[in-house]
C-alpha cells in the first residue's frame, strides 16, 4: 500500500498532487504521495483563452467608469494640472510593479486562483488556513454589485428612462443576469462579446484622445464652443498653478489613482484556461497595462485640452460629459451614457468571468461544502455554479443595500481586501528571495526586479493604512457611520475565515479522533479536484 502518513516536510507544497483516473471505488484509496507540481493538469480542450482574450480580461477589468470620472477627483486633490499628471504617472509605475509581481507568480505557478494559489504556495502552515480565509472573502464580497449599479444608472440615462433607485436596481440585476447566462451557458459567445467590448472601449478612448489633441493643435472642427469657458491649461504657469503639496491631499489623490489602475491580476484568476499560460501571461499583462497607462494619460491630456480647470472642478458633471459638451454640444450627453454603459458591461463580464473561476478553484481544492458542485463544468463546459454564486451574492447586495452610506460602504469593503491580498503576496514573494525559503527552489521563467516588488509592497501598506487615518473635516467617506467601518468589517470577514478553518480543520477532527488528508480525483470532464479523506488518529499507516 501507499504511504498514508502526513506530508513529509514543511516546504512541500500543499496543493500539488499526483493524479490518477479513479473509479468511484478507487477514489477512496488514492493518496497523494508522488512528486508535486503546481502546473495544472487541465485538458487542452479546456484552455480556450489566447493572447487577445487574456489581454481583454485585464483591460476590461481596469477600465470601468474611472477614466470618465476620476480626473476631476484627482485634480481636486492635486490642485494643478501638472500635479494631476504626476499622480497618474506615479500610479502607472505602481501598476507596473504590481503587474511584474503577478507575472512572476503567474509564470511560476501557472494555474487559476491568483492570490489564493500564491498564498497557499508561500504560506503552507497551518495547512488550508489561507485557503479558508480567502474562500470567505471570495464567496461573500459580491464583486460585480457596484459595477452593475453603475451600469444601471448610465443605461437608464441612455434610454431616457426615469432614474429611480428601484429602476436602477432592476437594470443592474438584469445586467448581471445577462452576464451570468452569457458566461455560464454560451461560453464562446461570452468571450467574443467580452473581447469586442474591450476593443470598442479602446477605440472610443483613442478617438477621445485624438479629438483632444486636434483641439490642442487648433484644427478646424475641433474647437471649444464659444459659450463655454475656454481652457488654458498648457502654459507653464497655468500647468502648475495651484499645486497642492500637502500630505493629506497627496494621500487622497494617490489613493484614487492607484485604485484606478487595479485589475492587472485579472488574467491570473483564469490561467488554467489559458493556452500556453506562461508565454501568454508574460505578454498579455504588460500589453494590457501599457494600453491602460496610454489611455489614462492621453485621455487626461484631451480632457484638459478641451475643459477649463474651473469647469473641471466646479462643472457639476463628470469630465467626460464636459468634454463631449464643449466639443460636440450638449446633445451628445446621452451618447456618452451609451459609451459608459458598454464600458461597464465589459467590466462586469471580465470580473464575473474570472471570479466565477475563483469559486471553482475553491471547489477543486475541496474546502467548500458541496465542493464537487462548485468544481463542476457541467452542463455547458463552464463553471456555472461558481458564476451563479457570484451573481447571487452580488444581486442580493444590489437589491438590499440602501442608498447613501451603505452603498458606498460596500464599494470600499469590496476594494479593501484586494490591498490585503496584494500586501501578503508581495511580502511572500520577498520571502521567496531569502535564504530561509531556499528549499522552495523558486525559479520562475520571469523574475520581477526586487525594487519593483518592494515598491509594490510599500504601495499596499499605503492602501491599507490610509483608510485608518482620520480624514480632514468634511472629507470623510461616510455621513452617518465611522470612516473606518469598511476596514473593521473587512478584517472581521477574514477572522470568520480563520474561525471556519479552526472548526472544520482542527477542532472537529481532533474532537472526533481523525486527521484530514487530501486525495486527488479526476472529474468526468477530465479536470482534477481534491477531496478530503479522514484518517483515524493512531492508525498505523503503511
Amino acid at each position: 500500500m501507499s504511504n498514508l502518513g502526513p506530508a513529509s516536510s514543511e516546504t512541500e507544497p500543499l496543493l500539488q498532487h499526483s493524479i490518477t483516473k479513479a473509479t468511484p471505488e478507487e477514489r477512496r484509496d488514492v493518496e497523494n504521495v508522488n512528486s508535486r507540481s503546481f502546473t495544472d493538469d487541465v485538458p487542452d480542450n479546456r484552455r480556450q483563452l489566447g493572447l487577445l482574450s487574456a489581454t481583454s480580461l485585464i483591460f476590461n477589468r481596469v477600465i470601468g467608469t474611472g477614466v470618465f470620472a476620476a480626473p476631476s477627483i484627482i485634480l481636486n486633490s492635486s490642485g494643478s494640472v501638472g500635479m494631476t499628471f504626476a499622480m497618474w504617472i506615479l500610479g502607472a509605475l505602481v501598476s507596473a510593479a504590481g503587474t511584474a509581481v503577478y507575472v512572476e507568480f503567474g509564470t511560476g505557478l501557472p494555474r487559476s486562483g491568483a492570490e489564493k494559489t500564491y498564498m497557499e504556495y508561500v504560506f503552507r502552515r497551518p495547512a488550508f488556513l489561507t485557503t479558508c480565509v480567502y474562500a470567505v472573502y471570495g464567496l461573500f464580497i459580491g464583486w460585480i454589485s457596484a459595477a452593475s449599479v453603475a451600469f444601471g444608472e448610465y443605461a437608464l440615462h441612455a434610454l431616457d428612462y426615469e432614474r429611480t433607485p428601484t429602476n436602477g436596481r432592476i437594470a443592474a440585476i438584469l445586467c448581471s443576469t445577462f452576464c451570468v447566462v452569457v458566461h455560464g451557458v454560451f461560453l464562446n459567445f461570452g468571450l467574443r462579446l467580452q473581447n469586442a467590448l474591450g476593443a470598442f472601449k479602446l477605440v472610443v478612448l483613442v478617438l477621445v484622445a485624438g479629438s483632444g489633441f486636434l483641439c490642442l493643435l487648433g484644427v478646424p472642427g475641433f474647437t471649444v464652443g464659444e459659450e463655454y469657458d475656454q481652457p488654458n491649461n498648457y502654459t507653464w504657469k497655468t500647468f502648475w498653478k495651484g499645486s497642492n503639496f500637502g500630505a493629506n491631499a497627496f494621500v487622497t489623490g494617490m489613493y484614487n489613482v492607484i485604485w484606478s489602475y487595479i485589475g492587472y491580476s485579472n488574467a491570473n484568476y483564469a490561467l488554467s484556461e489559458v493556452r500556453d499560460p506562461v508565454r501568454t501571461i508574460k505578454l498579455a499583462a504588460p500589453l494590457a497595462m501599457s494600453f491602460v497607462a496610454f489611455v489614462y494619460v492621453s485621455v487626461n491630456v484631451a480632457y484638459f485640452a478641451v475643459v477649463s480647470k474651473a469647469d473641471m472642478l466646479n462643472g457639476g458633471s463628470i469630465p467626460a460629459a464636459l468634454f463631449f459638451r464643449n466639443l460636440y454640444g450638449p446633445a451628445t450627453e446621452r451618447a456618452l451614457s451609451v459609451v459608459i454603459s458598454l464600458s461597464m458591461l465589459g467590466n462586469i463580464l471580465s470580473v464575473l468571468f474570472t471570479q466565477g473561476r475563483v469559486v471553482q478553484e475553491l471547489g477543486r481544492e475541496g474546502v467548500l461544502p458541496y465542493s464537487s458542485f462548485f468544481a463542476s463544468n457541467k452542463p455547458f463546459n463552464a463553471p456555472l455554479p461558481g458564476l451563479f454564486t457570484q451573481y447571487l451574492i452580488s444581486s442580493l447586495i444590489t437589491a438590499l443595500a440602501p442608498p447613501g452610506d451603505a452603498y458606498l460602504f460596500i464599494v470600499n469593503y469590496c476594494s479593501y481586501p484586494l490591498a490585503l491580498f496584494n500586501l501578503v503576496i508581495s511580502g511572500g514573494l520577498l520571502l521567496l528571495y531569502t535564504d530561509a525559503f531556499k528549499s522552495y527552489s523558486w525559479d520562475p521563467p520571469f523574475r520581477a526586479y526586487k525594487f519593483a516588488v518592494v515598491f509594490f509592497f510599500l504601495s499596499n501598506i499605503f492602501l491599507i493604512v490610509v483608510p485608518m487615518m482620520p480624514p480632514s473635516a468634511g472629507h470623510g467617506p461616510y455621513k452617518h457611520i465611522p470612516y473606518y467601518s469598511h476596514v473593521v468589517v473587512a478584517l472581521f470577514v477574514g477572522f470568520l475565515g480563520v474561525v471556519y478553518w479552526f472548526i472544520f480543520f482542527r477542532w472537529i477532527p481532533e474532537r472526533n479522533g481523525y486527521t484530514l488528508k487530501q486525495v486527488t480525483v479526476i472529474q468526468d470532464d477530465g479536470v482534477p479536484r481534491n477531496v478530503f479523506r479522514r484518517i483515524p488518529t493512531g492508525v498505523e499507516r503503511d
Side-chain angles (χ1 to χ4, degrees):
M1 283 182 66
S2 59
N3 180 10
L4 302 183
S8 59
S9 103
E10 283 289 308
T11 59
E12 277 190 274
L14 289 173
L15 302 184
Q16 298 165 302
H17 308 287
S18 61
I19 298 173
T20 60
K21 187 73 175 178
T23 66
E25 190 65 24
E26 290 170 334
R27 288 177 185 176
R28 294 196 295 267
D29 297 317
V30 178
E31 198 59 57
N32 305 302
V33 296
N34 295 337
S35 60
R36 299 173 172 187
S37 169
F38 265 84
T39 301
D40 211 3
D41 294 291
V42 171
D44 288 342
N45 61 4
R46 288 277 330 284
R47 297 185 180 272
Q48 305 183 64
L49 304 179
L51 177 61
L52 175 62
S53 294
T55 305
S56 177
L57 275 176
I58 300 169
F59 185 79
N60 264 322
R61 169 65 179 88
V62 180
I63 303 291
T65 59
V67 70
F68 302 105
S72 60
I73 300 172
I74 310 305
L75 177 63
N76 188 59
S77 297
S78 68
S80 72
V81 176
M83 284 295 291
T84 297
F85 280 105
M87 286 184 174
W88 281 112
I89 292 169
L90 183 57
L93 295 176
V94 173
S95 73
T99 301
V101 168
Y102 275 93
V103 171
E104 176 166 347
F105 267 123
T107 57
L109 307 170
R111 63 175 295 165
S112 294
E115 300 99 344
K116 167 195 169 292
T117 301
Y118 312 150
M119 291 189 296
E120 287 170 336
Y121 178 81
V122 179
F123 305 104
R124 302 171 183 179
R125 299 294 184 269
F128 308 110
L129 174 59
T130 56
T131 310
C132 292
V133 172
Y134 190 87
V136 175
Y137 280 121
L139 287 175
F140 296 113
I141 285 182
W143 295 101
I144 63 172
S145 54
S148 298
V149 171
F151 169 88
E153 290 293 319
Y154 285 105
L156 290 174
H157 183 259
L159 296 171
D160 198 21
Y161 203 82
E162 184 181 6
R163 287 182 287 175
T164 65
T166 299
N167 289 344
R169 295 179 193 210
I170 290 173
I173 293 173
L174 287 175
C175 172
S176 300
T177 304
F178 170 78
C179 292
V180 77
V181 170
V182 163
H183 275 328
V185 180
F186 306 103
L187 176 61
N188 291 330
F189 170 73
L191 289 174
R192 288 194 293 269
L193 176 61
Q194 190 169 274
N195 294 344
L197 288 172
F200 167 78
K201 197 183 303 187
L202 180 60
V203 168
V204 167
L205 293 172
V206 168
L207 289 176
V208 167
S211 300
F213 280 113
L214 292 175
C215 178
L216 195 61
L217 295 173
V219 175
F222 293 91
T223 56
V224 176
E226 294 181 359
E227 66 271 29
Y228 304 120
D229 191 19
Q230 299 297 304
N232 182 30
N233 297 317
Y234 288 117
T235 66
W236 183 255
K237 184 177 180 180
T238 59
F239 193 66
W240 297 104
K241 184 179 180 180
S243 294
N244 190 341
F245 296 101
N248 193 19
F250 176 79
V251 164
T252 302
M254 282 308 304
Y255 189 79
N256 285 286
V257 167
I258 291 173
W259 280 122
S260 295
Y261 280 100
I262 287 295
Y264 36 77
S265 62
N266 207 40
N268 294 64
Y269 293 113
L271 274 184
S272 294
E273 297 186 37
V274 173
R275 295 190 295 270
D276 194 358
V278 171
R279 174 184 174 276
T280 300
I281 196 64
K282 286 169 66 176
L283 295 173
L287 182 62
M289 293 310 297
S290 296
F291 285 149
V292 168
F294 167 77
V295 163
Y296 277 155
V297 173
S298 59
V299 167
N300 271 271
V301 170
Y303 287 160
F304 288 111
V306 173
V307 183
S308 71
K309 180 180 175 181
D311 270 358
M312 191 78 80
L313 291 174
N314 307 308
S317 300
I318 63 173
L322 296 172
F323 176 90
F324 275 77
R325 183 204 67 180
N326 286 9
L327 210 55
Y328 302 116
T332 58
E333 190 176 354
R334 284 179 60 190
L336 175 64
S337 292
V338 173
V339 170
I340 297 177
S341 297
L342 292 175
S343 175
M344 291 312 303
L345 179 60
N347 181 273
I348 295 164
L349 283 167
S350 67
V351 173
L352 183 62
F353 182 92
T354 54
Q355 292 303 318
R357 280 145 181 85
V358 169
V359 176
Q360 182 183 48
E361 196 67 17
L362 291 167
R364 290 178 59 192
E365 196 57 39
V367 298
L368 299 179
Y370 308 104
S371 285
S372 61
F373 171 74
F374 289 106
S376 174
N377 278 304
K378 294 179 179 179
F380 302 108
N381 196 33
L384 184 58
L387 295 166
F388 185 80
T389 301
Q390 292 290 344
Y391 160 78
L392 179 63
I393 297 298
S394 296
S395 296
L396 287 173
I397 291 173
T398 301
L400 300 177
D405 281 350
Y407 183 73
L408 183 58
F409 165 83
I410 290 168
V411 173
N412 290 331
Y413 159 67
C414 291
S415 303
Y416 196 76
L418 290 176
L420 294 173
F421 296 146
N422 286 339
L423 179 72
V424 172
I425 69 159
S426 55
L429 190 55
L430 291 173
L431 289 175
L432 290 176
Y433 298 157
T434 64
D435 290 339
F437 283 73
K438 190 174 292 184
S439 58
Y440 280 51
S441 300
W442 180 247
D443 188 26
F446 173 85
R447 283 285 188 126
Y449 290 111
K450 191 172 182 178
F451 72 83
V453 182
V454 172
F455 183 48
F456 186 58
F457 179 79
L458 294 176
S459 72
N460 283 286
I461 292 179
F462 171 80
L463 293 175
I464 289 170
V465 171
V466 166
M468 302 180 189
M469 298 168 57
S472 55
H475 289 86
Y478 312 116
K479 292 182 179 179
H480 305 295
I481 59 177
Y483 65 89
Y484 51 79
S485 297
H486 63 281
V487 176
V488 173
V489 174
L491 295 175
F492 178 72
V493 170
F495 173 72
L496 292 180
V498 175
V499 172
Y500 175 81
W501 167 81
F502 178 78
I503 291 174
F504 290 99
F505 288 83
R506 280 293 179 88
W507 183 68
I508 291 178
E510 289 180 4
R511 183 171 177 269
N512 292 288
Y514 63 83
T515 58
L516 292 171
K517 288 287 294 181
Q518 270 193 324
V519 177
T520 300
V521 299
I522 303 296
Q523 300 179 146
D524 293 339
D525 58 6
V527 176
R529 69 176 178 88
N530 299 322
V531 297
F532 282 97
R533 179 180 179 184
R534 298 178 180 181
I535 306 296
T537 303
V539 173
E540 185 175 345
R541 303 164 184 145
D542 44 60

